[in-house]
Amino acid sequence: MSNADASSPVRTATSPPVALVPRGKLVAPRGPNGQRRPRRGFTADYKLAILAEYDRCSEHGEKGALMRREGLYSSLITDWRRQHREGSLVATPGRSEGGRGGPSRSELERLRQENERLRTKLAKAQAVIEVQGKVHAPLGRDLQERGARDRVTAIQDDAIAELAPLIGTARACRAVGRSRASWYRTHHPRPKPPPRPRQRPARALTDAERAEVIGLLTSQRFCDLPPAQVWARLLDEDSDYLCSISTMYRLLREQRMVRERRRQASHPAHVKPELVATAPNQVWSWDITKLRGPWKWTWYQLYVVIDVYSRYAVGWTVATRESAALARDLLDACTKAEHIGRDQLTIHADRGTSMTSRTVAQLLADLGVTRSHSRPHVSNDNPYSEAQFKTLKYAPTFPGRFTDLGHARRFTDDFLTYYNTIHRHSGIGLHTPADVHTGRHHHIRKARQRVLDDAYAQHPERFRSRPHAPTIPATSWINPPTPETNSDLSHPA
């Protein structure tokens, strides 16, 4: 078989016949100007750049994308790689990277990157607009439900007026979360038809009937009764029906005859307690809290009296019940132990039954101690006792339940002794309540200051400024006065 037969294509019986074109009639393709179109050429620099980028493609499909983007075939890559191995590809400085007459390779790459950047930026902007619409719409509805409808609408209208010339009204409304129909309805309202006069209902009372009802309601027989009673008595006693109960109320309202006539109790406003302590044994606070017993619905009552200035637990007791007699005995023992004189002390408490009992009030009156109580339904008028109870019940060793009364008393004794003598309280300059109550905190603060001064002298670079030992506040308040209260006191009416 000759070489021509070996290179001829294989055909089958169904293959269409091949039209043979004489060699002399083959015409090369022409360009728009009639000149022969040159073949596409590639410089050595372009081939080397493509090979380098082809080798950097590691993800699936990146090489195929490169071929399609550059208009190349994989066979060209194979040929160029062979030429590179043979040493025939040498970069030529100063020549075009994209072939004859076209932009350079670097310029094409720069334009492609710029195009990709702009496409990404556009996609992000569109996504931001969509997200803004989704976020602002519920936010606007929430603000409108809270009474800020007019403000939300004004802000949205200003934003739409600014964005509409740039992206159109529909996209502007979607960006700010405003309904396009609402915007058009607000800015291009339809003319309202003139209001039609309201016709008098056929079932309405005549003027004479209205006057009859008013006269009956204001008569000596019914002037003290509400409309419901009048309506019922007319049906039962007179077998008469004039109008409904609501119509009676409406007619009375038109005559300005509906108002509250009952003698309802008016509770005077309770004065907010404002107590200040500048030294121990000036203001005490006491309260009662429950301790969980061994069984369900079993509780022990813990009575604690503390000094407001020093936070010192002056006295305490644990009992199985809450009793005014026990409260009286506790307060009596505390005042004797602290040698309280007449008109020296104010004791503050809430409005529990034991605190407001006649037994406790009589004792305090006999001792010359001033009473103070929290306002009704105000939980923060007794903050010092409540804070100490929280410290007690949040202690790591506080049990879930106490096994018996002795267990509760032992734990309370140990904890309050620790609280008085060991616990450094942040509200009194990190001193113990016992030190502040007895006045030893002055000497302790001086000793602390000496230690800090020595540390500063040895390593001043470790401090931003000279350290100072914390000081105890000069005053301790229950409900300190506000600036409005001070102004009212300084300018009496």
Side-chain angles (χ1 to χ4, degrees), residues 106-143:
S106 59
E107 183 69 14
L108 290 174
E109 183 65 19
R110 186 187 65 80
L111 293 176
R112 184 185 64 79
Q113 294 178 358
E114 181 70 14
N115 187 22
E116 291 295 332
R117 187 182 66 82
L118 293 177
R119 287 178 179 273
T120 304
K121 188 175 181 180
L122 178 61
K124 289 181 179 180
Q126 292 176 348
V128 167
I129 290 176
E130 295 294 334
V131 172
Q132 285 178 343
K134 295 178 181 179
V135 172
H136 291 172
L139 180 60
R141 288 193 295 269
D142 183 65
L143 293 176

Side-chain angles (χ1 to χ4, degrees), residues 159-309:
I160 292 173
E162 185 176 352
L163 293 176
L166 302 177
I167 61 177
T169 304
R171 289 185 177 179
C173 292
R174 189 164 59 250
V176 301
R178 179 83 185 276
S179 172
R180 183 176 56 178
S182 299
W183 187 88
Y184 277 114
R185 185 168 55 251
T186 303
H187 292 79
H188 304 283
R190 296 180 180 179
K192 296 182 179 180
R196 295 180 298 178
R198 186 174 182 270
Q199 298 180 357
R200 185 183 182 90
R203 60 178 179 272
L205 297 179
T206 63
D207 294 340
E209 292 173 335
R210 294 162 64 93
E212 181 183 0
V213 173
I214 293 297
L216 186 65
L217 292 173
T218 56
S219 64
Q220 187 69 25
R221 178 185 176 188
F222 294 127
C223 64
D224 293 333
L225 298 177
Q229 295 289 325
V230 175
W231 181 85
R233 292 194 183 189
L234 286 176
L235 292 180
D236 298 339
E237 300 175 2
D238 299 351
S239 299
D240 191 11
Y241 175 84
L242 297 179
C243 61
S244 64
I245 299 175
S246 61
T247 301
M248 291 182 181
Y249 272 110
R250 184 171 63 254
L251 295 178
L252 290 175
R253 280 195 298 269
E254 291 176 357
Q255 303 296 326
R256 304 175 67 88
M257 296 182 184
V258 177
R259 56 173 298 175
E260 182 61 58
R261 296 194 293 177
R262 294 171 296 178
R263 296 180 58 191
Q264 295 193 8
S266 58
H267 301 281
H270 291 269
V271 179
K272 179 174 65 174
E274 295 179 356
L275 305 177
V276 60
T278 58
N281 291 334
Q282 290 183 355
V283 180
W284 286 358
S285 172
W286 76 284
D287 202 354
I288 303 174
T289 188
K290 294 181 181 294
L291 304 179
R292 196 187 301 270
W295 303 288
K296 188 176 182 180
W297 310 118
T298 304
W299 305 91
Y300 301 124
Q301 310 296 327
L302 171 62
Y303 302 66
V304 181
V305 183
I306 64 172
D307 182 80
V308 169
Y309 183 80

Side-chain angles (χ1 to χ4, degrees), residues 272 274 481-493:
K272 179 174 65 174
E274 295 179 356
T482 58
E484 294 78 6
T485 306
N486 292 335
S487 62
D488 296 340
L489 295 176
S490 60
H491 301 285

